[in-house]
Amino acid sequence: IQVKKVVCGRHHSALISTCGSLYTWGAATFGRLGHPDNRNSIRIVRFPKRVAHFSGRNDNFRVRDISLGDAHCIALTHSGIVLTWGKGEVGQLGHGTPLHCCSPRVVKTLQDSIVAVAAGSQHSTALSAKGQLWSWGIRNGGGGSNNHVGFDKEGSCFVPVLLSHIEPLKVRSVACGQAHTAIICLRDLEYDYSKEEKTEKMGIPEVTIKAANNVTESFHMVDNMLETIDIQKPFSNCRHDHIELVEESLLNGFDVDAIDKNGNTLLLTAAQNGLKRMSKMLLCYGANINVQNKKGQSVLHYCFKYGFLDLFQYFVRKGAKETLRNCTGKTCYEK
């Protein structure tokens, strides 16, 4: 197995292969491993076992990210679908019931394209491409006032709830601890801290606004560090079809969905140059096939425009959406 990512829960572990397959092992109680055949007999799986649901036949069945709670899992596919399974008695699965689930099941109430997921001990979160954050599960696990999920509902919430009070912050990253959640917000938000009424109008606690200001300052520090990193080299290697060098960069931790100044990813770069072998390799490493750059162009837009019809058909078979529109409102078939 070529491993892309490995994560650990309290009593179970999981790994994602470079081709988007998911393997789990550890305690099998409550169905947390996603293996239906373990429901009644096997209580411990001692070696990584592939979760059959994620067959990899298209982006709906290829895992992009995974996060583990105490006894549940939340997975994100390359098409932006969220699935959960395992223990569900306090709503951490988001299926609307307290029932446990031994097979991956889609969280149907999440309609927008999701780009990140995170699990706490008994709560879960999902982040959309628009920067909106959903949360569900137990509000507090110790009978105290700790609020794990970020909304005022007492007890548990069994379906995802949009955290509208932080929506203006445009969340870009989320992480969960055992009983808390942390977010990073877009750096280019500006707030007038001298006007208290603005804070009240936005419905955001003052402490949240101050935290956002600190995060903004932190991003400037990170930007200065990133200036010393040559992220253009993998893109240059991609354009020149140096597949081994690109793969070496990926194995060394380069993000397969990293973007250049024009919003292009490595896969978009490969599509622009009609590189099928490069495209296959990037998809195997989990590249987002439906990504769009700053002009809204997708891999299909470029393949159709430049006449790479064989590569165009390959992308379609792999799940590329022909309905995506660029910034001028045109699909890949329209000039």
Side-chain angles (χ1 to χ4, degrees):
I1 304 172
Q2 285 189 311
V3 179
K4 174 185 176 183
K5 182 176 183 178
V6 62
V7 294
C8 297
R10 187 174 183 181
H11 297 297
H12 65 308
S13 304
L15 68 83
I16 304 172
S17 74
T18 53
C19 290
S21 296
L22 180 67
Y23 295 77
T24 58
W25 66 99
T29 50
F30 304 110
R32 76 186 80 186
L33 299 185
H35 307 308
D37 53 321
N38 292 346
R39 186 184 324 193
N40 299 318
S41 56
I42 303 174
R43 298 187 64 84
I44 295 179
V45 175
R46 300 187 181 278
F47 301 98
K49 180 179 179 181
R50 184 173 179 176
V51 179
H53 178 88
F54 300 106
S55 61
R57 60 181 179 269
N58 59 47
D59 277 358
N60 291 336
F61 298 92
R62 294 173 60 233
V63 178
R64 180 178 181 180
D65 200 7
I66 181 78
S67 186
L68 309 184
D70 267 7
H72 77 288
C73 298
I74 178 170
L76 175 67
T77 70
H78 280 269
S79 58
I81 296 174
V82 176
L83 302 96
T84 58
W85 62 95
K87 191 175 184 179
E89 66 180 0
V90 293
Q92 60 265 58
L93 299 185
H95 299 159
T97 74
L99 300 177
H100 308 325
C101 184
C102 61
S103 298
R105 180 179 170 187
V106 175
V107 182
K108 295 181 179 179
T109 52
L110 292 173
Q111 299 296 327
D112 288 352
S113 179
I114 302 300
V115 296
V117 293
S121 175
Q122 299 181 89
H123 71 291
S124 304
T125 59
L127 175 63
S128 79
K130 298 177 182 178
Q132 298 171 314
L133 186 66
W134 277 263
S135 183
W136 63 98
I138 194 167
R139 183 179 186 274
N140 63 72
S145 60
N146 295 332
N147 189 338
H148 306 176
V149 291
F151 50 81
D152 293 332
K153 178 182 174 65
E154 292 293 338
S156 299
C157 187
F158 291 86
V159 294
V161 172
L162 175 63
L163 303 187
S164 57
H165 60 289
I166 64 170
E167 195 168 355
L169 296 178
K170 299 296 182 184
V171 181
R172 63 178 288 174
S173 182
V174 60
C176 295
Q178 180 178 358
H180 69 289
T181 301
I183 59 173
I184 297 177
C185 308
L186 282 175
R187 64 180 180 183
D188 55 355
L189 289 178
E190 295 182 0
Y191 297 101
D192 185 353
Y193 301 101
S194 64
K195 296 182 179 180
E196 294 182 0
E197 64 272 19
K198 185 164 187 178
T199 302
E200 295 173 357
K201 183 177 180 181
M202 293 174 64
I204 303 172
E206 185 178 357
V207 64
T208 305
I209 298 294
K210 290 180 178 178
N213 188 37
N214 292 334
V215 170
T216 302
E217 295 174 358
S218 298
F219 272 121
H220 289 302
M221 296 172 61
V222 173
D223 281 345
N224 292 333
M225 295 170 61
L226 290 177
E227 287 178 358
T228 64
I229 301 175
D230 184 11
I231 68 169
Q232 296 305 318
K233 191 171 183 179
F235 284 92
S236 176
N237 288 331
C238 182
R239 281 191 296 273
H240 292 89
D241 203 21
H242 297 320
I243 190 168
E244 295 83 4
L245 295 178
V246 174
E247 186 170 19
E248 182 180 357
S249 295
L250 296 174
L251 291 172
N252 288 332
F254 189 79
D255 185 357
V256 71
D257 286 326
I259 59 174
D260 64 11
K261 63 181 180 180
N262 297 313
N264 291 312
T265 63
L266 292 173
L267 188 62
L268 283 169
T269 303
Q272 291 164 7
N273 293 275
L275 305 177
K276 189 172 182 179
R277 284 182 63 246
M278 180 71 73
S279 298
K280 286 183 176 181
M281 185 273 291
L282 293 171
L283 289 176
C284 191
Y285 275 86
N288 182 2
I289 199 171
N290 288 306
V291 67
Q292 294 172 271
N293 62 17
K294 290 183 178 180
K295 293 183 178 180
Q297 301 288 78
S298 68
V299 293
L300 294 186
H301 280 92
Y302 285 117
C303 288
F304 193 82
K305 178 180 179 179
Y306 297 128
F308 303 131
L309 299 185
D310 181 57
L311 184 55
F312 181 96
Q313 293 170 355
Y314 170 76
F315 281 138
V316 171
R317 291 196 301 271
K318 288 297 182 179
K321 297 178 181 178
E322 300 168 79
T323 55
L324 292 179
R325 296 182 180 273
N326 60 22
C327 292
T328 62
K330 296 179 179 179
T331 68
C332 58
Y333 297 108
E334 299 173 289
K335 294 184 179 180

